[in-house]
Amino acid sequence: MEFSPFIFLIAYLIGVIILVLLALINIYHIIRFGFLRAPSLVATFVFVILIVGIVLATLQILNHIDWQQPMEITIPFINNNEGFE
């Protein structure tokens, strides 16, 4: 059975979108309900820098993958044409 690894890229994109939404909600709550003093601002900037760093690192790693080459999965007890053996 073959499938495109592009499916993993779509799943990653959905995960990044969820991460960005939760990060924006987190930053909003820190600014809205927190104290705008040094510890709060430092924690917010560290959080943003870590999120951006993780996303950029994974995008750089994912850039070197050939997304058009199909991946093959072999399941030992299933034959391609006959079903179960």
PDB file of all heavy atoms in Angstrom, residues 33-70:
ATOM      1  N   PHE A  33      -4.780  40.073  31.710  1.00  0.00           N
ATOM      2  CA  PHE A  33      -5.050  39.801  33.115  1.00  0.00           C
ATOM      3  C   PHE A  33      -3.791  39.772  33.980  1.00  0.00           C
ATOM      4  O   PHE A  33      -3.889  39.680  35.195  1.00  0.00           O
ATOM      5  CB  PHE A  33      -5.803  38.471  33.259  1.00  0.00           C
ATOM      6  CG  PHE A  33      -7.111  38.468  32.542  1.00  0.00           C
ATOM      7  CD1 PHE A  33      -7.295  37.683  31.420  1.00  0.00           C
ATOM      8  CD2 PHE A  33      -8.158  39.269  32.966  1.00  0.00           C
ATOM      9  CE1 PHE A  33      -8.501  37.676  30.747  1.00  0.00           C
ATOM     10  CE2 PHE A  33      -9.367  39.272  32.296  1.00  0.00           C
ATOM     11  CZ  PHE A  33      -9.544  38.483  31.185  1.00  0.00           C
ATOM     12  N   GLY A  34      -2.632  39.821  33.369  1.00  0.00           N
ATOM     13  CA  GLY A  34      -1.392  39.807  34.139  1.00  0.00           C
ATOM     14  C   GLY A  34      -0.909  41.211  34.414  1.00  0.00           C
ATOM     15  O   GLY A  34      -1.465  42.212  33.960  1.00  0.00           O
ATOM     16  N   PHE A  35       0.120  41.262  35.200  1.00  0.00           N
ATOM     17  CA  PHE A  35       0.730  42.550  35.490  1.00  0.00           C
ATOM     18  C   PHE A  35       1.780  42.827  34.425  1.00  0.00           C
ATOM     19  O   PHE A  35       2.572  41.965  34.080  1.00  0.00           O
ATOM     20  CB  PHE A  35       1.378  42.530  36.876  1.00  0.00           C
ATOM     21  CG  PHE A  35       0.387  42.307  37.976  1.00  0.00           C
ATOM     22  CD1 PHE A  35       0.350  41.095  38.646  1.00  0.00           C
ATOM     23  CD2 PHE A  35      -0.515  43.293  38.330  1.00  0.00           C
ATOM     24  CE1 PHE A  35      -0.559  40.884  39.655  1.00  0.00           C
ATOM     25  CE2 PHE A  35      -1.434  43.090  39.340  1.00  0.00           C
ATOM     26  CZ  PHE A  35      -1.459  41.874  40.010  1.00  0.00           C
ATOM     27  N   LEU A  36       1.788  44.019  33.883  1.00  0.00           N
ATOM     28  CA  LEU A  36       2.762  44.374  32.857  1.00  0.00           C
ATOM     29  C   LEU A  36       4.054  44.831  33.510  1.00  0.00           C
ATOM     30  O   LEU A  36       4.458  45.991  33.421  1.00  0.00           O
ATOM     31  CB  LEU A  36       2.198  45.446  31.926  1.00  0.00           C
ATOM     32  CG  LEU A  36       1.085  44.983  31.008  1.00  0.00           C
ATOM     33  CD1 LEU A  36       0.568  46.140  30.168  1.00  0.00           C
ATOM     34  CD2 LEU A  36       1.565  43.865  30.110  1.00  0.00           C
ATOM     35  N   ARG A  37       4.686  43.895  34.183  1.00  0.00           N
ATOM     36  CA  ARG A  37       5.972  44.151  34.806  1.00  0.00           C
ATOM     37  C   ARG A  37       6.995  43.242  34.168  1.00  0.00           C
ATOM     38  O   ARG A  37       6.693  42.419  33.315  1.00  0.00           O
ATOM     39  CB  ARG A  37       5.875  43.912  36.305  1.00  0.00           C
ATOM     40  CG  ARG A  37       4.922  44.909  36.957  1.00  0.00           C
ATOM     41  CD  ARG A  37       5.066  44.910  38.443  1.00  0.00           C
ATOM     42  NE  ARG A  37       4.138  45.889  38.998  1.00  0.00           N
ATOM     43  CZ  ARG A  37       3.529  45.742  40.130  1.00  0.00           C
ATOM     44  NH1 ARG A  37       3.748  44.674  40.871  1.00  0.00           N
ATOM     45  NH2 ARG A  37       2.704  46.668  40.567  1.00  0.00           N
ATOM     46  N   ALA A  38       8.230  43.394  34.597  1.00  0.00           N
ATOM     47  CA  ALA A  38       9.350  42.679  33.981  1.00  0.00           C
ATOM     48  C   ALA A  38       9.167  41.146  33.955  1.00  0.00           C
ATOM     49  O   ALA A  38       9.379  40.538  32.908  1.00  0.00           O
ATOM     50  CB  ALA A  38      10.651  43.056  34.667  1.00  0.00           C
ATOM     51  N   PRO A  39       8.789  40.478  35.053  1.00  0.00           N
ATOM     52  CA  PRO A  39       8.681  39.008  34.986  1.00  0.00           C
ATOM     53  C   PRO A  39       7.630  38.530  33.987  1.00  0.00           C
ATOM     54  O   PRO A  39       7.847  37.556  33.262  1.00  0.00           O
ATOM     55  CB  PRO A  39       8.294  38.601  36.402  1.00  0.00           C
ATOM     56  CG  PRO A  39       8.762  39.713  37.265  1.00  0.00           C
ATOM     57  CD  PRO A  39       8.624  40.952  36.435  1.00  0.00           C
ATOM     58  N   SER A  40       6.516  39.223  33.929  1.00  0.00           N
ATOM     59  CA  SER A  40       5.464  38.851  32.992  1.00  0.00           C
ATOM     60  C   SER A  40       5.907  39.049  31.547  1.00  0.00           C
ATOM     61  O   SER A  40       5.669  38.196  30.685  1.00  0.00           O
ATOM     62  CB  SER A  40       4.211  39.667  33.277  1.00  0.00           C
ATOM     63  OG  SER A  40       3.205  39.378  32.344  1.00  0.00           O
ATOM     64  N   LEU A  41       6.541  40.174  31.276  1.00  0.00           N
ATOM     65  CA  LEU A  41       7.006  40.447  29.919  1.00  0.00           C
ATOM     66  C   LEU A  41       8.133  39.508  29.505  1.00  0.00           C
ATOM     67  O   LEU A  41       8.175  39.043  28.360  1.00  0.00           O
ATOM     68  CB  LEU A  41       7.457  41.902  29.806  1.00  0.00           C
ATOM     69  CG  LEU A  41       6.337  42.945  29.941  1.00  0.00           C
ATOM     70  CD1 LEU A  41       6.922  44.350  29.919  1.00  0.00           C
ATOM     71  CD2 LEU A  41       5.321  42.770  28.846  1.00  0.00           C
ATOM     72  N   VAL A  42       9.038  39.189  30.421  1.00  0.00           N
ATOM     73  CA  VAL A  42      10.127  38.258  30.110  1.00  0.00           C
ATOM     74  C   VAL A  42       9.568  36.875  29.808  1.00  0.00           C
ATOM     75  O   VAL A  42       9.980  36.213  28.850  1.00  0.00           O
ATOM     76  CB  VAL A  42      11.157  38.216  31.273  1.00  0.00           C
ATOM     77  CG1 VAL A  42      12.120  37.054  31.106  1.00  0.00           C
ATOM     78  CG2 VAL A  42      11.907  39.520  31.353  1.00  0.00           C
ATOM     79  N   ALA A  43       8.613  36.422  30.614  1.00  0.00           N
ATOM     80  CA  ALA A  43       8.002  35.113  30.374  1.00  0.00           C
ATOM     81  C   ALA A  43       7.291  35.091  29.023  1.00  0.00           C
ATOM     82  O   ALA A  43       7.365  34.098  28.292  1.00  0.00           O
ATOM     83  CB  ALA A  43       7.030  34.777  31.498  1.00  0.00           C
ATOM     84  N   THR A  44       6.624  36.164  28.671  1.00  0.00           N
ATOM     85  CA  THR A  44       5.941  36.232  27.380  1.00  0.00           C
ATOM     86  C   THR A  44       6.936  36.193  26.228  1.00  0.00           C
ATOM     87  O   THR A  44       6.738  35.459  25.258  1.00  0.00           O
ATOM     88  CB  THR A  44       5.099  37.522  27.294  1.00  0.00           C
ATOM     89  OG1 THR A  44       4.168  37.532  28.375  1.00  0.00           O
ATOM     90  CG2 THR A  44       4.352  37.599  25.987  1.00  0.00           C
ATOM     91  N   PHE A  45       8.005  36.964  26.324  1.00  0.00           N
ATOM     92  CA  PHE A  45       8.998  36.974  25.244  1.00  0.00           C
ATOM     93  C   PHE A  45       9.729  35.646  25.130  1.00  0.00           C
ATOM     94  O   PHE A  45      10.007  35.183  24.022  1.00  0.00           O
ATOM     95  CB  PHE A  45       9.979  38.126  25.431  1.00  0.00           C
ATOM     96  CG  PHE A  45       9.382  39.470  25.139  1.00  0.00           C
ATOM     97  CD1 PHE A  45       9.483  40.503  26.046  1.00  0.00           C
ATOM     98  CD2 PHE A  45       8.700  39.697  23.951  1.00  0.00           C
ATOM     99  CE1 PHE A  45       8.921  41.747  25.785  1.00  0.00           C
ATOM    100  CE2 PHE A  45       8.138  40.939  23.670  1.00  0.00           C
ATOM    101  CZ  PHE A  45       8.250  41.955  24.587  1.00  0.00           C
ATOM    102  N   VAL A  46      10.039  35.009  26.250  1.00  0.00           N
ATOM    103  CA  VAL A  46      10.679  33.689  26.203  1.00  0.00           C
ATOM    104  C   VAL A  46       9.747  32.683  25.548  1.00  0.00           C
ATOM    105  O   VAL A  46      10.164  31.861  24.719  1.00  0.00           O
ATOM    106  CB  VAL A  46      11.094  33.240  27.622  1.00  0.00           C
ATOM    107  CG1 VAL A  46      11.471  31.775  27.653  1.00  0.00           C
ATOM    108  CG2 VAL A  46      12.245  34.086  28.126  1.00  0.00           C
ATOM    109  N   PHE A  47       8.472  32.734  25.891  1.00  0.00           N
ATOM    110  CA  PHE A  47       7.478  31.835  25.298  1.00  0.00           C
ATOM    111  C   PHE A  47       7.402  32.043  23.787  1.00  0.00           C
ATOM    112  O   PHE A  47       7.445  31.073  23.017  1.00  0.00           O
ATOM    113  CB  PHE A  47       6.120  32.096  25.948  1.00  0.00           C
ATOM    114  CG  PHE A  47       5.007  31.288  25.373  1.00  0.00           C
ATOM    115  CD1 PHE A  47       4.879  29.948  25.678  1.00  0.00           C
ATOM    116  CD2 PHE A  47       4.082  31.861  24.515  1.00  0.00           C
ATOM    117  CE1 PHE A  47       3.859  29.196  25.144  1.00  0.00           C
ATOM    118  CE2 PHE A  47       3.068  31.124  23.978  1.00  0.00           C
ATOM    119  CZ  PHE A  47       2.942  29.787  24.296  1.00  0.00           C
ATOM    120  N   VAL A  48       7.324  33.273  23.349  1.00  0.00           N
ATOM    121  CA  VAL A  48       7.231  33.567  21.919  1.00  0.00           C
ATOM    122  C   VAL A  48       8.501  33.138  21.195  1.00  0.00           C
ATOM    123  O   VAL A  48       8.443  32.540  20.113  1.00  0.00           O
ATOM    124  CB  VAL A  48       6.932  35.070  21.688  1.00  0.00           C
ATOM    125  CG1 VAL A  48       7.088  35.442  20.234  1.00  0.00           C
ATOM    126  CG2 VAL A  48       5.535  35.400  22.174  1.00  0.00           C
ATOM    127  N   ILE A  49       9.660  33.414  21.778  1.00  0.00           N
ATOM    128  CA  ILE A  49      10.925  33.040  21.144  1.00  0.00           C
ATOM    129  C   ILE A  49      11.049  31.522  21.024  1.00  0.00           C
ATOM    130  O   ILE A  49      11.492  31.007  19.986  1.00  0.00           O
ATOM    131  CB  ILE A  49      12.112  33.646  21.928  1.00  0.00           C
ATOM    132  CG1 ILE A  49      12.150  35.155  21.699  1.00  0.00           C
ATOM    133  CG2 ILE A  49      13.430  33.001  21.528  1.00  0.00           C
ATOM    134  CD1 ILE A  49      13.120  35.883  22.595  1.00  0.00           C
ATOM    135  N   LEU A  50      10.647  30.786  22.047  1.00  0.00           N
ATOM    136  CA  LEU A  50      10.700  29.324  21.979  1.00  0.00           C
ATOM    137  C   LEU A  50       9.753  28.766  20.915  1.00  0.00           C
ATOM    138  O   LEU A  50      10.121  27.864  20.158  1.00  0.00           O
ATOM    139  CB  LEU A  50      10.373  28.719  23.345  1.00  0.00           C
ATOM    140  CG  LEU A  50      11.465  28.836  24.396  1.00  0.00           C
ATOM    141  CD1 LEU A  50      10.971  28.300  25.729  1.00  0.00           C
ATOM    142  CD2 LEU A  50      12.709  28.096  23.959  1.00  0.00           C
ATOM    143  N   ILE A  51       8.552  29.296  20.834  1.00  0.00           N
ATOM    144  CA  ILE A  51       7.584  28.829  19.831  1.00  0.00           C
ATOM    145  C   ILE A  51       8.108  29.116  18.427  1.00  0.00           C
ATOM    146  O   ILE A  51       8.078  28.248  17.546  1.00  0.00           O
ATOM    147  CB  ILE A  51       6.206  29.486  20.053  1.00  0.00           C
ATOM    148  CG1 ILE A  51       5.602  29.023  21.357  1.00  0.00           C
ATOM    149  CG2 ILE A  51       5.269  29.197  18.893  1.00  0.00           C
ATOM    150  CD1 ILE A  51       5.314  27.555  21.439  1.00  0.00           C
ATOM    151  N   VAL A  52       8.603  30.316  18.202  1.00  0.00           N
ATOM    152  CA  VAL A  52       9.136  30.671  16.884  1.00  0.00           C
ATOM    153  C   VAL A  52      10.344  29.805  16.553  1.00  0.00           C
ATOM    154  O   VAL A  52      10.489  29.322  15.421  1.00  0.00           O
ATOM    155  CB  VAL A  52       9.480  32.176  16.820  1.00  0.00           C
ATOM    156  CG1 VAL A  52      10.283  32.514  15.589  1.00  0.00           C
ATOM    157  CG2 VAL A  52       8.213  33.007  16.864  1.00  0.00           C
ATOM    158  N   GLY A  53      11.208  29.567  17.527  1.00  0.00           N
ATOM    159  CA  GLY A  53      12.379  28.728  17.305  1.00  0.00           C
ATOM    160  C   GLY A  53      12.014  27.293  16.944  1.00  0.00           C
ATOM    161  O   GLY A  53      12.607  26.697  16.039  1.00  0.00           O
ATOM    162  N   ILE A  54      11.032  26.737  17.630  1.00  0.00           N
ATOM    163  CA  ILE A  54      10.594  25.368  17.340  1.00  0.00           C
ATOM    164  C   ILE A  54       9.992  25.284  15.944  1.00  0.00           C
ATOM    165  O   ILE A  54      10.297  24.361  15.174  1.00  0.00           O
ATOM    166  CB  ILE A  54       9.591  24.892  18.411  1.00  0.00           C
ATOM    167  CG1 ILE A  54      10.317  24.677  19.731  1.00  0.00           C
ATOM    168  CG2 ILE A  54       8.888  23.620  17.977  1.00  0.00           C
ATOM    169  CD1 ILE A  54       9.390  24.431  20.901  1.00  0.00           C
ATOM    170  N   VAL A  55       9.146  26.232  15.593  1.00  0.00           N
ATOM    171  CA  VAL A  55       8.512  26.209  14.272  1.00  0.00           C
ATOM    172  C   VAL A  55       9.561  26.395  13.168  1.00  0.00           C
ATOM    173  O   VAL A  55       9.540  25.677  12.162  1.00  0.00           O
ATOM    174  CB  VAL A  55       7.405  27.284  14.184  1.00  0.00           C
ATOM    175  CG1 VAL A  55       6.919  27.452  12.758  1.00  0.00           C
ATOM    176  CG2 VAL A  55       6.246  26.924  15.094  1.00  0.00           C
ATOM    177  N   LEU A  56      10.494  27.314  13.338  1.00  0.00           N
ATOM    178  CA  LEU A  56      11.525  27.522  12.322  1.00  0.00           C
ATOM    179  C   LEU A  56      12.448  26.313  12.187  1.00  0.00           C
ATOM    180  O   LEU A  56      12.832  25.948  11.070  1.00  0.00           O
ATOM    181  CB  LEU A  56      12.338  28.771  12.643  1.00  0.00           C
ATOM    182  CG  LEU A  56      11.609  30.102  12.454  1.00  0.00           C
ATOM    183  CD1 LEU A  56      12.509  31.260  12.869  1.00  0.00           C
ATOM    184  CD2 LEU A  56      11.137  30.269  11.033  1.00  0.00           C
ATOM    185  N   ALA A  57      12.792  25.686  13.293  1.00  0.00           N
ATOM    186  CA  ALA A  57      13.653  24.500  13.235  1.00  0.00           C
ATOM    187  C   ALA A  57      12.957  23.350  12.516  1.00  0.00           C
ATOM    188  O   ALA A  57      13.567  22.674  11.675  1.00  0.00           O
ATOM    189  CB  ALA A  57      14.058  24.081  14.646  1.00  0.00           C
ATOM    190  N   THR A  58      11.697  23.121  12.807  1.00  0.00           N
ATOM    191  CA  THR A  58      10.995  22.035  12.133  1.00  0.00           C
ATOM    192  C   THR A  58      10.757  22.348  10.665  1.00  0.00           C
ATOM    193  O   THR A  58      10.813  21.450   9.828  1.00  0.00           O
ATOM    194  CB  THR A  58       9.660  21.711  12.821  1.00  0.00           C
ATOM    195  OG1 THR A  58       8.873  22.898  12.904  1.00  0.00           O
ATOM    196  CG2 THR A  58       9.869  21.142  14.199  1.00  0.00           C
ATOM    197  N   LEU A  59      10.507  23.603  10.335  1.00  0.00           N
ATOM    198  CA  LEU A  59      10.349  23.947   8.917  1.00  0.00           C
ATOM    199  C   LEU A  59      11.651  23.753   8.149  1.00  0.00           C
ATOM    200  O   LEU A  59      11.638  23.311   7.000  1.00  0.00           O
ATOM    201  CB  LEU A  59       9.863  25.387   8.772  1.00  0.00           C
ATOM    202  CG  LEU A  59       8.408  25.633   9.131  1.00  0.00           C
ATOM    203  CD1 LEU A  59       8.081  27.116   9.043  1.00  0.00           C
ATOM    204  CD2 LEU A  59       7.486  24.827   8.262  1.00  0.00           C
ATOM    205  N   GLN A  60      12.773  24.052   8.780  1.00  0.00           N
ATOM    206  CA  GLN A  60      14.062  23.842   8.130  1.00  0.00           C
ATOM    207  C   GLN A  60      14.322  22.345   7.939  1.00  0.00           C
ATOM    208  O   GLN A  60      14.834  21.934   6.899  1.00  0.00           O
ATOM    209  CB  GLN A  60      15.173  24.465   8.963  1.00  0.00           C
ATOM    210  CG  GLN A  60      16.523  24.404   8.304  1.00  0.00           C
ATOM    211  CD  GLN A  60      17.584  25.089   9.135  1.00  0.00           C
ATOM    212  OE1 GLN A  60      17.384  25.408  10.302  1.00  0.00           O
ATOM    213  NE2 GLN A  60      18.730  25.330   8.539  1.00  0.00           N
ATOM    214  N   ILE A  61      13.971  21.538   8.902  1.00  0.00           N
ATOM    215  CA  ILE A  61      14.142  20.088   8.769  1.00  0.00           C
ATOM    216  C   ILE A  61      13.205  19.535   7.699  1.00  0.00           C
ATOM    217  O   ILE A  61      13.603  18.693   6.884  1.00  0.00           O
ATOM    218  CB  ILE A  61      13.903  19.403  10.126  1.00  0.00           C
ATOM    219  CG1 ILE A  61      15.020  19.780  11.096  1.00  0.00           C
ATOM    220  CG2 ILE A  61      13.811  17.894   9.971  1.00  0.00           C
ATOM    221  CD1 ILE A  61      14.749  19.360  12.525  1.00  0.00           C
ATOM    222  N   LEU A  62      11.963  20.002   7.682  1.00  0.00           N
ATOM    223  CA  LEU A  62      10.983  19.499   6.715  1.00  0.00           C
ATOM    224  C   LEU A  62      11.287  19.952   5.295  1.00  0.00           C
ATOM    225  O   LEU A  62      10.786  19.357   4.336  1.00  0.00           O
ATOM    226  CB  LEU A  62       9.577  19.957   7.113  1.00  0.00           C
ATOM    227  CG  LEU A  62       9.017  19.340   8.385  1.00  0.00           C
ATOM    228  CD1 LEU A  62       7.678  19.970   8.714  1.00  0.00           C
ATOM    229  CD2 LEU A  62       8.892  17.848   8.265  1.00  0.00           C
ATOM    230  N   ASN A  63      12.098  20.977   5.135  1.00  0.00           N
ATOM    231  CA  ASN A  63      12.434  21.493   3.813  1.00  0.00           C
ATOM    232  C   ASN A  63      13.268  20.504   3.007  1.00  0.00           C
ATOM    233  O   ASN A  63      13.251  20.518   1.777  1.00  0.00           O
ATOM    234  CB  ASN A  63      13.184  22.823   3.952  1.00  0.00           C
ATOM    235  CG  ASN A  63      13.307  23.544   2.641  1.00  0.00           C
ATOM    236  OD1 ASN A  63      12.514  23.334   1.727  1.00  0.00           O
ATOM    237  ND2 ASN A  63      14.293  24.409   2.553  1.00  0.00           N
ATOM    238  N   HIS A  64      13.980  19.608   3.669  1.00  0.00           N
ATOM    239  CA  HIS A  64      14.876  18.674   2.986  1.00  0.00           C
ATOM    240  C   HIS A  64      14.198  17.356   2.614  1.00  0.00           C
ATOM    241  O   HIS A  64      14.862  16.442   2.153  1.00  0.00           O
ATOM    242  CB  HIS A  64      16.097  18.389   3.860  1.00  0.00           C
ATOM    243  CG  HIS A  64      16.894  19.615   4.157  1.00  0.00           C
ATOM    244  ND1 HIS A  64      17.603  20.290   3.188  1.00  0.00           N
ATOM    245  CD2 HIS A  64      17.083  20.310   5.293  1.00  0.00           C
ATOM    246  CE1 HIS A  64      18.196  21.336   3.723  1.00  0.00           C
ATOM    247  NE2 HIS A  64      17.893  21.381   5.008  1.00  0.00           N
ATOM    248  N   ILE A  65      12.910  17.249   2.789  1.00  0.00           N
ATOM    249  CA  ILE A  65      12.182  16.011   2.496  1.00  0.00           C
ATOM    250  C   ILE A  65      11.517  16.131   1.131  1.00  0.00           C
ATOM    251  O   ILE A  65      10.944  17.165   0.797  1.00  0.00           O
ATOM    252  CB  ILE A  65      11.132  15.725   3.587  1.00  0.00           C
ATOM    253  CG1 ILE A  65      11.830  15.492   4.921  1.00  0.00           C
ATOM    254  CG2 ILE A  65      10.274  14.534   3.217  1.00  0.00           C
ATOM    255  CD1 ILE A  65      10.901  15.321   6.076  1.00  0.00           C
ATOM    256  N   ASP A  66      11.609  15.061   0.343  1.00  0.00           N
ATOM    257  CA  ASP A  66      10.926  15.017  -0.953  1.00  0.00           C
ATOM    258  C   ASP A  66       9.476  14.608  -0.707  1.00  0.00           C
ATOM    259  O   ASP A  66       9.176  13.451  -0.420  1.00  0.00           O
ATOM    260  CB  ASP A  66      11.616  14.002  -1.878  1.00  0.00           C
ATOM    261  CG  ASP A  66      10.975  13.947  -3.249  1.00  0.00           C
ATOM    262  OD1 ASP A  66      10.203  14.873  -3.586  1.00  0.00           O
ATOM    263  OD2 ASP A  66      11.252  12.984  -3.989  1.00  0.00           O
ATOM    264  N   TRP A  67       8.566  15.564  -0.823  1.00  0.00           N
ATOM    265  CA  TRP A  67       7.170  15.320  -0.486  1.00  0.00           C
ATOM    266  C   TRP A  67       6.400  14.658  -1.624  1.00  0.00           C
ATOM    267  O   TRP A  67       5.241  14.280  -1.446  1.00  0.00           O
ATOM    268  CB  TRP A  67       6.492  16.635  -0.098  1.00  0.00           C
ATOM    269  CG  TRP A  67       7.067  17.195   1.148  1.00  0.00           C
ATOM    270  CD1 TRP A  67       7.944  18.219   1.244  1.00  0.00           C
ATOM    271  CD2 TRP A  67       6.842  16.734   2.479  1.00  0.00           C
ATOM    272  NE1 TRP A  67       8.279  18.430   2.563  1.00  0.00           N
ATOM    273  CE2 TRP A  67       7.617  17.540   3.342  1.00  0.00           C
ATOM    274  CE3 TRP A  67       6.057  15.723   3.037  1.00  0.00           C
ATOM    275  CZ2 TRP A  67       7.623  17.351   4.713  1.00  0.00           C
ATOM    276  CZ3 TRP A  67       6.072  15.553   4.404  1.00  0.00           C
ATOM    277  CH2 TRP A  67       6.842  16.354   5.231  1.00  0.00           C
ATOM    278  N   GLN A  68       7.002  14.505  -2.791  1.00  0.00           N
ATOM    279  CA  GLN A  68       6.322  13.885  -3.931  1.00  0.00           C
ATOM    280  C   GLN A  68       6.592  12.386  -4.031  1.00  0.00           C
ATOM    281  O   GLN A  68       5.881  11.683  -4.727  1.00  0.00           O
ATOM    282  CB  GLN A  68       6.759  14.568  -5.230  1.00  0.00           C
ATOM    283  CG  GLN A  68       6.449  16.043  -5.267  1.00  0.00           C
ATOM    284  CD  GLN A  68       4.966  16.332  -5.102  1.00  0.00           C
ATOM    285  OE1 GLN A  68       4.131  15.620  -5.629  1.00  0.00           O
ATOM    286  NE2 GLN A  68       4.660  17.383  -4.361  1.00  0.00           N
ATOM    287  N   GLN A  69       7.620  11.896  -3.362  1.00  0.00           N
ATOM    288  CA  GLN A  69       7.953  10.474  -3.430  1.00  0.00           C
ATOM    289  C   GLN A  69       6.979   9.685  -2.553  1.00  0.00           C
ATOM    290  O   GLN A  69       6.842   9.947  -1.366  1.00  0.00           O
ATOM    291  CB  GLN A  69       9.379  10.253  -2.940  1.00  0.00           C
ATOM    292  CG  GLN A  69       9.817   8.823  -2.999  1.00  0.00           C
ATOM    293  CD  GLN A  69      11.238   8.669  -2.496  1.00  0.00           C
ATOM    294  OE1 GLN A  69      11.861   9.634  -2.090  1.00  0.00           O
ATOM    295  NE2 GLN A  69      11.734   7.465  -2.525  1.00  0.00           N
ATOM    296  N   PRO A  70       6.291   8.694  -3.145  1.00  0.00           N
ATOM    297  CA  PRO A  70       5.323   7.926  -2.346  1.00  0.00           C
ATOM    298  C   PRO A  70       6.028   7.021  -1.339  1.00  0.00           C
ATOM    299  O   PRO A  70       7.140   6.554  -1.550  1.00  0.00           O
ATOM    300  CB  PRO A  70       4.569   7.106  -3.385  1.00  0.00           C
ATOM    301  CG  PRO A  70       5.461   7.045  -4.558  1.00  0.00           C
ATOM    302  CD  PRO A  70       6.301   8.270  -4.536  1.00  0.00           C
TER     303      PRO A  70
END
